[in-house]
Amino acid sequence: MREKTVSKKENLFVASRFVLPEHRETYIRIKAEERRYIPPELDEEQQAALSEEVWRAFQSGSGVAVTYYDGQSPKRRVGCVVHVDQASRRIKLKAGEEAVWIPFDRLLHVQMGATS
């Protein structure tokens, strides 16, 4: 049988016979790190603005859209802030029956007036 030919663009390591397994693993790890999302660092002024928006949403009971970093990528949730835990620096966001605790240091953006 004839082997299927693979272009270098499709698979760099199948087309090359001189690549050690260690080099292949390192290359794959580097490419995965390049695709990894890195959240922006917020300065004190931006954090204060987010804190103020969260507090206003908590006081008014209005809907809020929260964008936060979950450890892998940015996530967006819409709901109501039902609890602000100042000691642990986190908020409890409730959307329907589901409630989620979000650490304040993971918040990226808060928008008031959002509806589910």
Side-chain angles (χ1 to χ4, degrees):
M1 296 203 139
R2 187 168 181 231
E3 290 184 31
K4 180 182 173 189
T5 59
V6 177
S7 71
K8 286 187 179 183
K9 288 182 180 179
E10 289 177 12
N11 191 338
L12 178 66
F13 299 104
V14 171
S16 176
R17 294 182 182 144
F18 302 107
V19 176
L20 296 174
E22 298 86 27
H23 295 159
R24 179 180 183 275
E25 291 168 9
T26 302
Y27 177 80
I28 290 171
R29 184 178 45 77
I30 289 171
K31 287 299 182 186
E33 286 179 13
E34 287 176 356
R35 289 188 300 270
R36 196 178 101 228
Y37 175 78
I38 299 172
E41 299 253 345
L42 301 178
D43 62 15
E44 289 180 26
E45 191 174 304
Q46 291 170 320
Q47 288 180 348
L50 286 175
S51 177
E52 188 176 322
E53 286 290 317
V54 167
W55 188 250
R56 272 195 272 157
F58 176 64
Q59 292 292 335
S60 67
S62 65
V64 65
V66 175
T67 305
Y68 66 99
Y69 176 65
D70 73 343
Q72 296 176 349
S73 63
K75 299 285 185 197
R76 184 173 191 269
R77 290 205 179 246
V78 177
C80 291
V81 178
V82 293
H83 186 72
V84 177
D85 186 354
Q86 293 178 349
S88 300
R89 295 194 40 82
R90 61 186 185 159
I91 63 172
K92 187 174 187 178
L93 189 69
K94 186 171 183 177
E97 295 297 316
E98 184 182 3
V100 178
W101 284 99
I102 302 171
F104 189 78
D105 60 347
R106 299 249 175 144
L107 290 179
L108 300 174
H109 183 72
V110 176
Q111 179 184 359
M112 286 197 44
T115 58
S116 311

